[in-house]
Structure formats: structure tokens, C-alpha cells
Amino acid sequence: FTPNLANPDFPNPYFNLNEICGSIGGPVPGSKKTFFLGSYERRWNLSPLRYSASSRLPGQRILNGDFSGVADSRKPAVPAGVVLTPQEIANNTVGGLGVRFITIPERLLNPTTRKFIDLYYPKSSLAAPVDSLGRLVSFAQNVNQHTGRDLVTARVDHDLTANDKIYGVYNYQGTSGESGASAGGQYPAFGLRNTDQSNHTLSGNYTRVFSQSIVNELRGGFNKQRLFVHAPRTLSDFLSSIGFSSSDITAYGDITGAAALDTFGQTELRITNFATISNGGRSVDRRLDQELMTFGDTLTWVTGGHSIKGGYDGVRNRAIDGFTANRGNPRGRVDYTGSNLDPFARFLMGQPGNSANYVQKLRGALDASNWEHGFFVMDDWKIRPNLTLNLGLRYELITPFIEKDDLLVNFDPNTNSPNGRRGRFVVPTADVIPFIDPAMVAYGVVTADEAGVTRGLINTDKNNFAPRLGIAWRLNEGT
């Protein structure tokens, strides 16, 4: 699809994958009871990405303020308040009437808009085919995605005594590079979203052999994943790139909120009849971090025909998600509306848009966590050499997720709201929960369900008992 008149440059698309790796292991020098293993792998990946073809991007002529190739009825009107010289009326307007532009005089083209166009709008040949509004009939472009990945593994085993053994394992994975999603909609010059991800896992185990029939295993570990997806530049960087001074940027932040200046992404621009320059979407500045801690213990006792095990497993989960932070155009949105090419001409001259939207206070990230507890006991009872009975019982207590800033909301369809309509929203906040006492049920202040409410969206289920029964029967003892 390239090169063509709309995109004369020919990017050479190709795939490239390179890897290096190595490992080392053995006994720790000077020790006969400690062993180690280490490995490392690095990958570089390059692959082409084809931007979606668009038929709503402006051709080079109208980007230059030249509407001579457009029918007179669609040429932009001279905005009210714009004063043209007699020579400009004669040379730059249809029929010398001063009503519609043929070309916008150079002096009226806004320098900030010109820089914006030069940096972020696709360039094309003046001979590229366009439609009745001067838009490119078809535009497509190849861009390259670069990613890298690191893998690290380290393990240490140590024999404390003949009956006491420990080991620890650490794993790391780091990934960075472009994620293959545009940060500016159909405008390649805004670049691809970047992905920075790391994953750390550490686990350990201690085994104690008390006797030939009693063994205890203690284990634990944690996992931390950090994921940050973002545009190549912050709002402040974007504004600076198109010529905003430091005082201009400060004034912009006074409107949108200064915190927005340091977030990744750009102002969204909507011009009627042309492809929107998007703010990058909800994932243009999104953190998604997850943490997991686990620990447990298992005691095994072998006596006679019984192999009895009992123990505990505990897990704490936590997730932080900034998905909602980009809702509602936190970096601002400007709309130029109207018919034909009127909105685009006003944009070229740097006139104010018809409307502007922004969110002055950024939404915080969701920070939720919960606990999982599991207790179990089981017995593998060998009744006969060829018959084993498996008996067990597990109890689980899984708490609901609790959000640090009480951002979780539920809907209760069975209660009427104060205005008499059916249904209400329930926000289980920390300020409300302590005042709900079970004794209030007796006085009819709250219901039994409300008395047991937690800061999660559901109450903890405390009846999770799971019995286990199994039989293993070997029909032919000789095989």
C-alpha cells in the first residue's frame, strides 16, 4: 500500500528477532551443602505495524490553507471579525467578494497551529487524490514496533542438616517497548503507546523431617507485577512541542488542573468532517499493578496404613488500576463544529473552538485487596494393598475485595429510594459501617442483611466446607 501520492515515503517493513541467553549453576565454592542456579535471557523484537487506512485526513493543500481544489459552495466562509485588505479580498476570496476563502492569507495562519500541523498531521503530495472536502481518499502508513524482554532466574538450595532443607527461587521478567496501539487515533506522528512491565516473584520453602513418619513443609512467597501503559509524551511535553511557553502551559493547567500537565497523552481535537485527534483513550496513562502474597504449612504423618496431612494456605491479593483516570478528557478537548470547511479554516487561523471540555479533578486509581484462607485435613487410608480410601475436609474463608477509598458501589433493587422509586445505590464506606450495629436490628433501624454488611460489595461467605471422598482400587494386583 506504500509508497503512493498520499504517503510517498516507503518504510521498509521487516521482522527482526534476536535473543541471547546463558545459565550457570553448581555448588557454591567452599561449601558442600549449598548449590545455586542462575540464568538470563534477553530478547529484542522489531515488527511492522500498519496503521488503519483513513479517508478523513486532510490533504496537503487544505493543510496549507489552499481550498482552490474544492467547489466554491464548500469553500470556508471568512469568519466574522476577520478584516481583509482590498488586495486579499481580490486575490484570496471567491469572486473577489470577501465572503469565502480561496486561500487563507499567510498572515492569518496561526503559528502555533502551523507547528501543530507540521509535527502531527501526515504529509502528502499536492497531487494526491482528494474528495470533495479536500480529504485524502486513502491514507496508510507502516511504522515499526520495538520491544525488549529480560528474563532472570536465580535459585539457592541449602542443607542445614540432614533433616532440614531450605531453598529460595527468584524470577524476574521485564518487558518494555511499543504496545501496537496508537496514542493519537489515526495520526501516526503521535506515536505508539509504550508498555513498561515488570514481574518479580520470590518463593521459599523449608522442609523439616522430624522422623521417618513425620514431615513438615513451610512455604511462602510473593509476586509483584507493575504495568504502565502510556503515550510517548506528557501533556506538558505536547504543548511545549507546538510552541506553548512555560506561562502558556501554566495557564492551560489552571483550567484543566495542574496535575493533568504531568499525565501522558494530549489534548483531544475534534474538527467536523475530519478524523479526530484523540487523547489516546483510557489506556494512554494507565497503571495496573498487582500484588500477591502467599504462605502456608503442611504437616504429614504416616502411621500404619494412614497417610494424614493437614495444613493452612493463606493468600493476600491486591490490585491497583488507573483505568478510570482518563475518563472525561482530563487533558481537555476542543471542538470545532460547523459545515463544509468552515471549522477547519477557523482552526488554521487559531480562532477559538466552539466548545471546550475538561475534567478539573482527576479520578484516583482503584486500590482493592482481599484475603483467602484455606484449612484442610485429609487421610489416604490404605485399607488393603490394592484398596485406598481418600477422606478429607477443606474449609475456605474468602473475604470480599475492599477498596481503600470506598470506590466500590453496588445496586440494591429491593429497596425504594427516598423519592419512592425502586432501587438504590449502596456505597459501603468506612464511615458508615461502624455505625451499623446488630443490636439496631431489634429496633427496626436496619435489616439483618444490613447489620452484617462489610466494606465489600458482598458479605463474607463463612460456610465454605468442602468434603472429599475417593476410592482407589487396583483390580489386578499383579500389574
Side-chain angles (χ1 to χ4, degrees):
F1 49 86
T2 53
N4 56 49
L5 289 174
N7 187 30
D9 296 328
F10 184 83
N12 186 18
Y14 64 95
F15 295 88
N16 194 313
L17 176 64
N18 294 282
E19 287 186 321
I20 61 172
C21 59
S23 63
I24 185 172
V28 173
S31 174
K32 297 181 179 180
K33 296 183 177 181
T34 306
F35 299 83
F36 75 96
L37 171 68
S39 66
Y40 173 75
E41 177 185 311
R42 169 69 179 177
R43 169 183 288 184
W44 296 268
N45 186 44
L46 185 146
S47 59
L49 174 69
R50 180 183 186 271
Y51 262 81
S52 299
S54 173
S55 59
R56 294 175 59 84
L57 296 177
Q60 194 61 47
R61 285 190 182 277
I62 65 172
L63 285 175
N64 297 337
D66 180 0
F67 308 100
S68 58
V70 179
D72 290 348
S73 61
R74 294 208 159 187
K75 288 182 171 64
V78 177
V82 173
V83 179
L84 302 176
T85 67
Q87 184 178 4
E88 290 171 341
I89 293 174
N91 298 332
N92 296 87
T93 66
V94 177
L97 300 176
V99 177
R100 293 185 179 275
F101 280 122
I102 298 174
T103 57
I104 297 177
E106 185 70 26
R107 69 179 181 87
L108 295 180
L109 295 175
N110 184 274
T112 300
T113 304
R114 294 302 308 164
K115 197 164 186 178
F116 187 179
I117 289 172
D118 290 340
L119 286 175
Y120 298 111
Y121 275 80
K123 297 176 176 58
S124 60
S125 167
L126 295 176
V130 295
D131 65 10
S132 60
L133 284 172
R135 301 175 299 193
L136 296 172
V137 173
S138 179
F139 173 82
Q141 181 176 338
N142 280 329
V143 296
N144 288 325
Q145 304 173 86
H146 299 81
T147 57
R149 187 192 69 180
D150 295 281
L151 296 176
V152 176
T153 299
R155 173 169 177 149
V156 176
D157 292 76
H158 180 68
D159 296 344
L160 297 170
T161 67
N163 295 329
D164 296 88
K165 302 178 184 294
I166 62 172
Y167 75 80
V169 180
Y170 170 72
N171 288 283
Y172 165 79
Q173 176 173 316
T175 304
S176 62
E178 291 96 353
S179 63
S182 168
Q186 300 180 45
Y187 296 83
F190 282 97
L192 303 178
R193 293 177 188 160
N194 294 333
T195 299
D196 301 315
Q197 180 174 347
S198 64
N199 196 301
H200 300 266
T201 303
L202 178 64
S203 60
N205 182 287
Y206 168 55
T207 302
R208 166 68 174 176
V209 180
F210 290 97
S211 66
Q212 292 184 349
S213 60
I214 301 178
V215 178
N216 190 76
E217 179 188 15
L218 180 66
R219 58 198 173 274
F222 74 86
N223 174 264
K224 287 188 177 183
Q225 176 179 287
R226 299 289 182 262
L227 175 62
F228 184 31
V229 182
H230 60 90
R233 60 187 65 81
T234 64
L235 173 60
S236 181
D237 294 335
F238 164 71
L239 296 174
S240 178
S241 72
I242 61 176
F244 275 45
S245 66
S246 58
S247 58
D248 294 334
I249 294 174
T250 300
Y252 191 103
D254 290 340
I255 301 298
T256 62
L261 296 173
D262 295 326
T263 64
F264 286 88
Q266 62 276 336
T267 306
E268 181 167 308
L269 177 63
R270 297 185 180 184
I271 304 176
T272 299
N273 295 322
F274 292 91
T276 296
I277 293 179
S278 76
N279 62 11
R282 293 184 180 180
S283 293
V284 75
D285 189 312
R286 180 184 180 186
R287 293 190 179 274
L288 178 57
D289 300 337
Q290 300 185 64
E291 299 177 2
L292 180 147
M293 290 192 305
T294 179
F295 48 91
D297 186 83
T298 300
L299 179 66
T300 303
W301 176 33
V302 179
T303 176
H306 297 271
S307 178
I308 302 172
K309 292 183 179 181
Y312 165 78
D313 289 301
V315 179
R316 184 181 187 273
N317 300 292
R318 184 187 181 195
I320 302 174
D321 191 352
F323 182 71
T324 62
N326 292 296
R327 296 189 61 182
N329 293 288
R331 285 165 290 280
R333 188 187 90 200
V334 179
D335 292 77
Y336 286 86
T337 59
S339 59
N340 296 319
L341 290 168
D342 292 359
F344 198 81
R346 288 189 283 110
F347 164 67
L348 291 177
M349 291 185 285
Q351 294 201 335
N354 298 85
S355 63
N357 299 273
Y358 59 92
V359 177
Q360 192 164 19
K361 186 176 181 180
L362 302 181
R363 301 189 184 196
L366 184 76
D367 188 346
S369 60
N370 85 318
W371 283 90
E372 300 177 16
H373 305 279
F375 304 85
F376 70 94
V377 60
M378 61 180 297
D379 180 14
D380 294 334
W381 178 19
K382 182 170 288 189
I383 302 174
R384 297 177 56 184
N386 65 336
L387 181 63
T388 302
L389 183 63
N390 307 114
L391 301 171
L393 179 65
R394 181 177 179 86
Y395 174 72
E396 290 186 346
L397 182 67
I398 301 177
T399 66
F401 275 92
I402 303 298
E403 209 287 320
K404 186 180 71 171
D405 297 317
D406 302 316
L407 296 180
L408 300 179
V409 180
N410 209 344
F411 180 74
D412 177 12
N414 299 317
T415 303
N416 292 336
S417 60
N419 60 14
R421 294 181 178 177
R422 191 172 183 82
R424 65 170 180 171
F425 286 101
V426 179
V427 183
T429 67
D431 296 331
V432 174
I433 299 305
F435 295 98
I436 299 180
D437 191 282
M440 298 171 68
V441 179
Y443 297 96
V445 179
V446 295
T447 66
D449 289 338
E450 290 173 324
V453 76
T454 68
R455 284 182 60 207
L457 296 183
I458 60 174
N459 294 328
T460 302
D461 184 357
K462 300 179 180 180
N463 298 309
N464 290 323
F465 289 92
R468 178 183 179 184
L469 174 62
I471 297 176
W473 179 21
R474 188 170 63 245
L475 299 178
N476 188 345
E477 294 191 35
T479 59

